[in-house]
Amino acid sequence: MIVLGIESSCDETAAAIVNSEGKILANILRSQISDHQLYGGVVPEIAARSHLEHLDRIIFTAMEKADISFNQLGGIAATAGPGLIGAVMVGLMTGKAIAATFQKPLIALNHLEGHALSPRLTDKEVTFPYLLLLVSGGHCQLLIVNGVGKYERLGTTIDDAPGEAFDKVAKLLGLGYPGGPAIERAAILGNPKSFKLPTPLKGRKGCDFSFSGLKTAVYQLIQKIKVKTGELEEQHKFDIASSFQHAVCEVMINRTTHALDKYRKVCQIGGHLVVAGGVAANSELRKSLKGLAHESNIRLSIPHPSLCTDNGAMIAWAGIERLKLGLVDGYDFAPKARWPLDPKAGRPLGMGKPGKLGMKA
Ligand code: KG4
Ligand code: ZN
């Protein structure tokens, strides 16, 4: 079985062809970084228009690279949310059009499920149930993955996502966009112990996260240095990036340790700790989690950095996992801006009341 995966939930226009053995026959991606760089962040309207302009070409390139025709496809998987609604609509509608034209099954995929199942694409030993740390630009969750579509959320962020914090701190330091890789590069030249930054919720009970206080602390630190020295020197930037990255890793390790205790009640021996999402591309975080997995005697599986950040292969693979179970969707499936993996999970303590726009996914 061969599936075409289409991803357009944020600022990556992507299409991939994957077969049921997990072979990636093509994985084509166009990053919109240059379209948004001027604004220091993703502009939803520009993202949607850019997907519209490039998606057809990206899909045809993937089909050509895989050397197959649309008729040979077993199904079309397209991200149907959560994400920027205009951007999601472009990919989902394109997927529907191809599925309808060639009379193929459509899988309207939850983008987070794409990340959640991505480690099973490259590591065949990852079996259910596994513990998942999902860390991206819009999400931060610890979940037990009991099966396809079966997620139990143990913790989530009560405010910002870590990728968002990386992006904001990089902006404050003038390191450019996207922030994650920029902070990682700067951090190599800095000392992680230069500044003592807060590690929100570290040591507190539970598996929830918080990053807004850390972001504010970096802002205040920058102001303090500027008052003292007039400007932020390069070395200050490197040291702040390094200290910030260190604080994020400390929080991640602490919260994941708590989640491991809960996971051990479900899976006493063996099992896997799996990490996915854009922030999982961070090498310092990968190193810290390797240490934790070693100490906790659990196998760790983190996809290659190129499969951690948004891509079409993870969508195609999750489509295959769903197709194998006969889980397909109608052409009337509506795109969703918010779409939690575990709809039964309540609001975490400290998140505050929902605003006019409703709950966070
Ligand atoms: O999963 P992803 O590509 O998109 C979402 O679904 O959000 O994640 C994007 C996020 C961005 O915030 C980006 O700054 C962050 O992942 N990121 C990183 C790294 N590479 C990407 N954060 C830290 N270190 C990295 N190397
Ligand atoms: Zn993502």
Side-chain angles (χ1 to χ4, degrees):
M1 190 186 356
I2 301 173
V3 165
L4 161 67
I6 299 171
E7 161 58 31
S8 71
S9 65
C10 191
D11 60 344
E12 258 99 26
T13 314
I17 319 287
V18 176
N19 73 14
S20 44
E21 277 80 55
K23 183 156 192 238
I24 301 173
L25 306 173
N27 194 16
I28 311 295
L29 183 141
R30 180 190 176 269
S31 163
Q32 296 182 358
I33 288 176
S34 56
D35 303 343
H36 302 284
Q37 216 146 27
L38 183 66
Y39 311 95
V42 180
V43 183
E45 175 77 16
I46 294 176
R49 286 170 187 266
S50 181
H51 287 307
L52 203 55
E53 202 180 324
H54 298 284
L55 185 57
D56 285 7
R57 182 182 50 81
I58 297 233
I59 291 173
F60 284 123
T61 309
M63 298 296 289
E64 247 175 61
K65 170 114 197 281
D67 196 21
I68 58 159
S69 68
F70 287 112
N71 279 318
Q72 288 171 270
L73 292 172
I76 288 92
T79 295
L84 305 171
I85 198 68
V88 171
M89 280 164 73
V90 176
L92 181 59
M93 289 309 291
T94 307
K96 283 182 184 181
I98 299 171
T101 306
F102 296 93
Q103 292 294 296
K104 301 288 177 187
L106 170 79
I107 306 102
L109 254 164
N110 185 320
H111 174 83
L112 301 175
E113 180 160 80
H115 280 303
L117 300 176
S118 64
R120 282 166 57 84
L121 167 61
T122 47
D123 186 348
K124 295 291 168 276
E125 287 183 23
V126 176
T127 52
F128 304 120
Y130 55 84
L131 177 65
L132 166 69
L133 171 65
L134 175 52
V135 278
S136 71
H139 299 272
C140 187
Q141 304 183 12
L142 276 156
L143 303 123
I144 295 179
V145 182
N146 288 308
V148 176
K150 294 179 184 150
Y151 302 94
E152 185 194 338
R153 199 184 76 195
L154 303 177
T156 187
T157 177
I158 61 171
D159 40 55
D160 303 332
E164 208 177 331
F166 268 97
D167 293 337
K168 183 51 79 62
V169 167
K171 200 171 175 180
L172 289 172
L173 293 172
L175 294 174
Y177 166 84
I183 293 271
E184 186 171 347
R185 282 192 300 273
I188 294 170
L189 306 166
N191 175 358
K193 301 220 165 89
S194 315
F195 300 105
K196 182 91 194 94
L197 289 168
T199 46
L201 297 186
K202 184 184 164 193
R204 301 268 282 272
K205 246 172 75 179
C207 308
D208 289 330
F209 299 84
S210 165
F211 294 100
S212 71
L214 176 57
K215 235 169 51 180
T216 308
V218 171
Y219 171 77
Q220 287 169 340
L221 174 64
I222 293 171
Q223 300 312 310
K224 216 163 101 187
I225 295 173
K226 279 186 179 164
V227 167
K228 247 197 214 158
T229 63
E231 64 168 319
L232 213 56
E233 287 164 17
E234 284 301 283
Q235 194 55 46
H236 283 139
K237 293 186 183 183
F238 301 151
D239 288 340
I240 293 173
S242 191
S243 304
F244 165 77
Q245 185 175 262
H246 181 68
V248 172
C249 290
E250 285 210 356
V251 169
M252 296 281 178
I253 295 304
N254 177 257
R255 311 321 277 164
T256 308
T257 305
H258 291 189
L260 270 169
D261 290 343
K262 294 193 181 194
Y263 173 66
R264 277 296 173 226
K265 295 195 176 109
V266 179
C267 181
Q268 283 85 13
I269 44 163
H272 263 91
L273 167 62
V274 153
V275 194
V279 180
N282 185 277
S283 28
E284 219 31 57
L285 179 62
R286 293 169 88 96
K287 217 191 288 170
S288 306
L289 288 163
K290 215 168 160 185
L292 172 67
H294 183 72
E295 273 170 31
S296 313
N297 205 14
I298 187 166
R299 288 205 48 193
L300 175 72
S301 188
I302 316 181
H304 184 273
S306 63
L307 292 175
C308 286
T309 46
D310 289 351
N311 64 87
M314 70 180 193
I315 302 302
W317 175 250
I320 287 171
E321 295 248 36
R322 286 201 157 248
L323 256 184
K324 281 182 183 166
L325 298 172
L327 300 170
V328 296
D329 299 287
Y331 297 154
D332 59 347
F333 194 100
K336 304 179 189 195
R338 303 198 188 289
W339 189 356
L341 275 179
D342 177 3
K344 291 199 295 295
R347 291 174 75 72
L349 217 62
M351 193 187 224
K353 290 201 174 102
K356 280 199 182 102
L357 293 174
M359 280 179 65
K360 266 196 166 179

